[in-house]
Coordinates of all heavy atoms in Angstrom, one line a residue:
P2 N 92.8 124.1 107.8 CA 92.0 125.0 108.7 C 90.6 124.4 109.0 O 90.0 123.8 108.1 CB 91.9 126.3 107.8 CG 93.1 126.2 106.9 CD 93.2 124.8 106.5
V7 N 85.1 122.3 107.6 CA 83.7 122.4 107.8 C 83.0 122.6 106.4 O 82.0 122.0 106.1 CB 83.3 123.5 108.7 CG1 81.8 123.8 108.7 CG2 83.8 123.2 110.2
I10 N 83.1 119.2 104.5 CA 82.1 118.3 105.0 C 80.7 118.7 104.7 O 79.9 117.8 104.3 CB 82.3 118.2 106.5 CG1 83.7 117.5 106.9 CG2 81.2 117.4 107.2 CD1 84.0 117.5 108.3
R24 N 66.9 110.0 94.3 CA 66.4 108.6 94.2 C 64.9 108.5 94.5 O 64.2 107.7 93.9 CB 67.2 107.8 95.1 CG 68.7 107.7 94.7 CD 68.9 106.6 93.7 NE 70.3 106.5 93.3 CZ 70.8 105.5 92.6 NH1 70.0 104.6 92.1 NH2 72.1 105.5 92.2
M29 N 63.2 105.4 92.2 CA 64.1 104.3 92.3 C 64.2 103.7 93.7 O 64.6 102.5 93.8 CB 65.5 104.8 91.8 CG 65.6 105.3 90.4 SD 67.2 105.7 89.8 CE 68.0 104.0 89.8
G37 N 67.2 104.6 105.7 CA 67.9 103.4 106.2 C 69.3 103.4 105.8 O 70.3 103.1 106.6
A39 N 71.1 106.0 104.8 CA 71.8 107.1 105.4 C 72.2 106.8 106.8 O 73.4 107.1 107.2 CB 71.0 108.4 105.3
V47 N 81.0 106.5 111.8 CA 81.3 106.7 113.2 C 82.1 105.6 113.8 O 83.1 105.8 114.5 CB 80.0 107.0 114.0 CG1 80.3 107.0 115.5 CG2 79.3 108.2 113.5
W52 N 86.7 103.8 116.1 CA 87.3 102.6 116.7 C 88.1 101.8 115.6 O 89.1 101.1 116.0 CB 86.3 101.7 117.3 CG 85.6 102.2 118.5 CD1 86.1 102.2 119.8 CD2 84.4 102.9 118.5 NE1 85.2 102.9 120.6 CE2 84.1 103.3 119.8 CE3 83.4 103.3 117.5 CZ2 83.0 104.0 120.2 CZ3 82.3 104.0 117.9 CH2 82.1 104.3 119.2
A56 N 93.1 100.5 114.0 CA 93.2 99.1 113.8 C 93.5 98.7 112.3 O 94.3 97.9 112.0 CB 92.0 98.3 114.3
P89 N 66.4 92.8 86.7 CA 67.5 93.8 86.6 C 67.4 95.0 87.5 O 66.3 95.6 87.6 CB 67.3 94.2 85.1 CG 66.6 93.1 84.4 CD 65.7 92.5 85.5
P91 N 69.7 98.4 89.2 CA 70.9 99.2 89.2 C 71.6 99.0 90.6 O 72.9 99.2 90.6 CB 70.4 100.6 89.0 CG 69.0 100.6 89.4 CD 68.5 99.2 89.1
I97 N 78.4 95.9 93.1 CA 79.7 95.4 92.6 C 80.7 96.5 92.4 O 81.9 96.3 92.7 CB 79.3 94.7 91.2 CG1 78.5 93.5 91.4 CG2 80.6 94.4 90.4 CD1 78.1 92.8 90.2
V126 N 112.3 110.7 106.5 CA 111.8 111.5 105.3 C 110.6 112.3 105.7 O 109.6 111.7 106.3 CB 111.6 110.6 104.1 CG1 111.1 111.4 102.9 CG2 112.8 109.8 103.7
V128 N 107.1 113.6 105.0 CA 106.1 113.2 104.1 C 105.2 114.4 103.8 O 104.6 115.0 104.8 CB 105.2 112.0 104.6 CG1 104.1 111.7 103.6 CG2 106.1 110.9 104.9
W136 N 97.1 125.9 96.4 CA 95.8 125.7 95.8 C 96.0 125.3 94.3 O 95.2 124.5 93.8 CB 94.9 126.9 96.0 CG 94.3 127.0 97.3 CD1 94.7 127.8 98.3 CD2 93.2 126.2 97.8 NE1 93.9 127.6 99.4 CE2 92.9 126.7 99.1 CE3 92.4 125.3 97.2 CZ2 91.9 126.1 99.9 CZ3 91.4 124.7 98.0 CH2 91.2 125.1 99.3
F152 N 89.8 108.4 81.3 CA 90.4 107.6 80.2 C 90.5 106.1 80.7 O 90.5 105.2 79.9 CB 91.7 108.2 79.8 CG 91.6 109.3 78.9 CD1 91.8 110.6 79.3 CD2 91.2 109.2 77.6 CE1 91.6 111.7 78.5 CE2 91.1 110.2 76.7 CZ 91.3 111.5 77.2
Q170 N 84.8 82.1 76.2 CA 84.7 81.1 75.2 C 85.8 80.0 75.3 O 85.5 78.8 75.1 CB 84.8 81.7 73.8 CG 83.6 82.6 73.4 CD 82.4 81.7 73.0 OE1 81.5 81.5 73.8 NE2 82.4 81.2 71.8
S171 N 87.0 80.4 75.7 CA 88.1 79.5 75.9 C 87.8 78.5 77.0 O 88.3 77.4 77.1 CB 89.4 80.2 76.1 OG 89.4 80.9 77.3
P176 N 77.7 81.8 75.2 CA 76.8 82.9 75.4 C 75.3 82.6 75.2 O 75.0 81.6 74.4 CB 77.3 83.9 74.4 CG 77.9 83.0 73.3 CD 78.4 81.8 74.0
K182 N 80.5 87.9 69.0 CA 81.3 88.9 68.3 C 82.2 89.7 69.3 O 81.8 90.6 69.9 CB 80.3 89.9 67.6 CG 79.4 89.3 66.5 CD 78.5 90.3 65.9 CE 77.6 89.7 64.8 NZ 76.8 90.7 64.2
V205 N 79.7 89.6 81.9 CA 80.8 90.5 81.4 C 80.7 91.9 82.0 O 81.6 92.5 82.4 CB 80.8 90.5 79.8 CG1 81.8 91.6 79.3 CG2 81.2 89.2 79.3
K206 N 79.4 92.4 82.0 CA 79.2 93.7 82.5 C 79.6 93.9 84.0 O 80.2 94.8 84.4 CB 77.7 94.1 82.3 CG 77.4 95.6 82.7 CD 76.0 95.9 82.4 CE 75.7 97.3 82.8 NZ 74.2 97.7 82.6
C229 N 101.7 111.9 90.3 CA 102.0 113.3 90.6 C 103.4 113.5 91.1 O 104.1 114.5 90.8 CB 101.0 113.9 91.6 SG 99.3 114.1 90.9

Side-chain angles (χ1 to χ4, degrees):
V7 172
I10 293 174
R24 293 280 179 165
M29 298 184 68
V47 171
W52 294 276
I97 291 179
V126 178
V128 181
W136 281 104
F152 282 104
Q170 288 288 99
S171 69
K182 297 180 180 180
V205 170
K206 184 178 181 180
C229 289

